[in-house]
Amino acid sequence: MASFEDRVQKAVDARDIPGIVLLASDVNGNFKYEKAFGPKTPTEPLGLNATFILASCTKLMTTIAALQCVERGQIGLDDPVSAILPELKEKEIITGFNEDGSLTYRKAKNEITLRHLLSHSSGLGYHTMDPRYHKWRKERGETFFIKGWSIIPRINTPLLFEPGTSWAYGTGLDWAGILVSRLNKMNLEQYMQKYIWAPLGIKNITFHQEDHEDVRKNLTKMSIRKGLENPMFGFPVRSEEKVDWTDETLYDIPIADEYGGEGAIGSATEFFKILQSILEDDGKLLTSETIEEMFSPQLSEGGVKALDEYNALPFYQGGAFASVQNGTKVTWGLGGLLFLEDYFTGRKRGTLTWSGMASWTIDRETGICALYAGNMLPFGDFASGDMQIKFEKEMYARAVKRSML
């Protein structure tokens, strides 16, 4: 029977999936897995020092940064953020449509708090994920692009619901990054360097690859799935088409703004140090009390319902990357999706997880953290999702076996 490594190697050799870096460890240091598979570029193999577009994995780092501000007493989790982010004061909510098709609005009654920003319960969504924003941009005479926008015009949108009453994946962590920057009178890069990366010995994560040669030269070339109508930013489909290379860079280079929700680029092995620090509760980033809050449910009943509806969409139930099987009891913690029951991959109740171009898992019950890293567009690639599930199941099996020796 072929080993797990043989199956992964076969998949990358056949270009069923792009090159990937796989990392896992347990809390006691008894189990550790580090392996790179496949190519970094058409002419170079992938190594453990390879860097990746971290995309929404950035949200975990920004969450940690914001929680550090809470620990210092600079702001409370349930404090309104409008004193620091006046752009979010008295926001309007999109409520529907007039007879002529134009949007209708009303003023929000609730103020947006830091907890709302960190748990996607502020009412702020993503332009690419909600057609109401497409309509809103059109009524303003704007054409939205991923590149070429400064951060405030890009993320300063109306709300989709009353803050604290529902859930929508969106720009809350970008706003949280701005909040951290303003509170500490330094940009987000400087903040993370001082308070997150340096304490863990991390040197190869940045928002500005133009200023970091090691990050730039080790960046894994982006891959796309052949045959898709919109291979960059559309939705993936299940097909037998292979992976191809693209010159797409995803972000502006150089980039002026630091997006706390999606903007980091860096080494998978160095990002993994953050997962290990949280798993081990080593005190280098956050106190035990704050980590406990990260792994606690954050959503209202309406928020859980909206999250369940999101997970039940056909796209995710089709096996999209890092999707959740329909009916699984989940909520949102601070930093990621929080499981309220055991999961078939091996995750235990209380596991925190999320994905970007990579997918990460922190399971405090079992004492395991894992990271699957690859540069693949569009987001949610099905074949990558299949392999990530196989990887996670394999890591749990090996870690448990190791603990029994």
Side-chain angles (χ1 to χ4, degrees):
M1 183 177 178
S3 69
F4 169 72
E5 285 75 18
D6 289 340
R7 284 178 283 160
V8 178
Q9 192 65 53
K10 181 179 179 181
V12 296
D13 288 346
R15 295 296 279 165
D16 293 330
I17 60 173
I20 54 176
V21 169
L22 304 179
L23 305 169
S25 70
D26 69 6
V27 70
N28 299 315
N30 296 323
F31 170 73
K32 186 175 183 179
Y33 188 90
E34 294 182 320
K35 196 161 180 65
F37 297 87
K40 183 180 80 171
T41 71
T43 59
E44 300 174 86
L46 195 64
L48 288 174
N49 65 338
T51 57
F52 297 86
I53 302 295
L54 295 175
S56 286
C57 291
T58 309
K59 290 178 170 68
L60 178 63
M61 295 189 291
T62 303
T63 297
I64 292 168
L67 291 174
Q68 289 175 339
C69 295
V70 173
E71 290 187 346
R72 290 191 205 99
Q74 293 174 295
I75 189 172
L77 268 174
D78 295 309
D79 288 348
V81 297
S82 57
I84 303 122
L85 302 172
E87 299 92 339
L88 298 184
K89 188 175 181 62
E90 298 181 349
K91 295 293 286 182
E92 289 189 322
I93 302 171
I94 298 174
T95 56
F97 299 89
N98 290 306
E99 290 185 4
D100 63 0
S102 61
L103 293 169
T104 60
Y105 306 86
R106 70 167 174 83
K107 288 285 187 182
K109 298 175 183 177
N110 299 338
E111 291 206 66
I112 296 173
T113 68
L114 179 56
R115 191 186 303 274
H116 293 153
L117 293 181
L118 299 183
S119 61
H120 297 289
S121 58
S122 66
L124 294 159
Y126 272 132
H127 172 91
T128 54
M129 298 178 71
D130 197 293
R132 288 172 289 181
Y133 283 148
H134 304 176
K135 179 70 174 173
W136 176 73
R137 293 283 184 194
K138 186 176 181 180
E139 289 182 359
R140 291 161 59 89
E142 297 175 354
T143 301
F144 182 83
F145 295 100
I146 295 293
K147 297 179 183 177
W149 281 66
S150 59
I151 189 167
I152 297 296
R154 180 176 173 183
I155 67 175
N156 196 12
T157 60
L159 306 183
L160 301 175
F161 53 81
E162 190 71 51
T165 65
S166 190
W167 182 93
Y169 194 52
T171 57
L173 272 297
D174 294 313
W175 284 108
I178 297 170
L179 178 141
V180 169
S181 177
R182 290 178 182 177
L183 281 175
N184 293 279
K185 297 179 173 56
M186 63 180 75
N187 66 34
L188 196 56
E189 173 101 2
Q190 292 167 333
Y191 182 92
M192 288 194 180
Q193 175 59 42
K194 183 174 182 178
Y195 294 107
I196 297 177
W197 302 335
L200 299 181
I202 292 172
K203 298 180 179 179
N204 285 329
I205 298 180
T206 184
F207 290 91
H208 298 281
Q209 58 176 296
E210 66 273 10
D211 296 330
H212 292 264
E213 183 180 359
D214 285 344
V215 171
R216 186 174 63 253
K217 73 180 182 181
N218 287 319
L219 184 60
T220 305
K221 188 176 177 68
M222 191 67 68
S223 294
I224 57 172
R225 182 75 58 189
K226 294 180 181 179
L228 296 180
E229 183 177 346
N230 184 355
M232 302 299 179
F233 306 111
F235 287 99
V237 297
R238 283 205 175 273
S239 74
E240 300 300 318
E241 295 283 359
K242 301 297 184 180
V243 169
D244 200 359
W245 300 104
T246 176
D247 291 328
E248 174 59 47
T249 58
L250 199 59
Y251 303 143
D252 290 316
I253 306 173
I255 192 165
D257 299 312
E258 294 148 350
Y259 288 81
E262 60 189 69
I265 304 101
S267 160
T269 52
E270 300 230 288
F271 181 81
F272 192 68
K273 293 177 182 179
I274 297 170
L275 307 183
Q276 290 176 304
S277 179
I278 298 301
L279 176 68
E280 294 170 11
D281 193 4
D282 60 13
K284 293 180 180 179
L285 299 180
L286 296 169
T287 65
S288 298
E289 182 181 13
T290 300
I291 290 175
E292 191 65 34
E293 185 66 32
M294 289 180 69
F295 287 78
S296 300
Q298 301 294 321
L299 299 183
S300 65
E301 182 178 343
V304 172
K305 183 176 183 291
L307 178 58
D308 288 343
E309 290 171 353
Y310 174 86
N311 287 327
L313 292 172
F315 170 65
Y316 295 102
Q317 291 311 303
F321 187 48
S323 58
V324 178
Q325 287 190 342
N326 198 14
T328 303
K329 293 180 180 179
V330 294
T331 184
W332 205 263
L334 295 176
L337 186 73
L338 182 66
F339 278 71
L340 299 177
E341 61 183 5
D342 295 351
Y343 198 55
F344 78 100
T345 60
R347 298 172 187 169
K348 295 298 183 183
R349 182 180 185 274
T351 295
L352 198 67
T353 181
W354 198 237
S355 65
M357 304 294 277
S359 177
W360 58 266
T361 299
I362 305 174
D363 180 345
R364 297 193 302 166
E365 176 68 25
T366 308
I368 291 175
C369 57
L371 178 68
Y372 178 111
N375 267 4
M376 181 73 192
L377 288 173
F379 296 103
D381 180 63
F382 290 112
S384 298
D386 295 342
M387 187 59 72
Q388 190 272 336
I389 288 172
K390 292 175 183 176
F391 161 63
E392 194 163 286
K393 291 173 73 173
E394 183 72 19
M395 294 303 101
Y396 270 96
R398 293 190 185 187
V400 170
K401 182 178 180 180
R402 181 75 182 213
S403 67
M404 297 173 65
L405 296 178

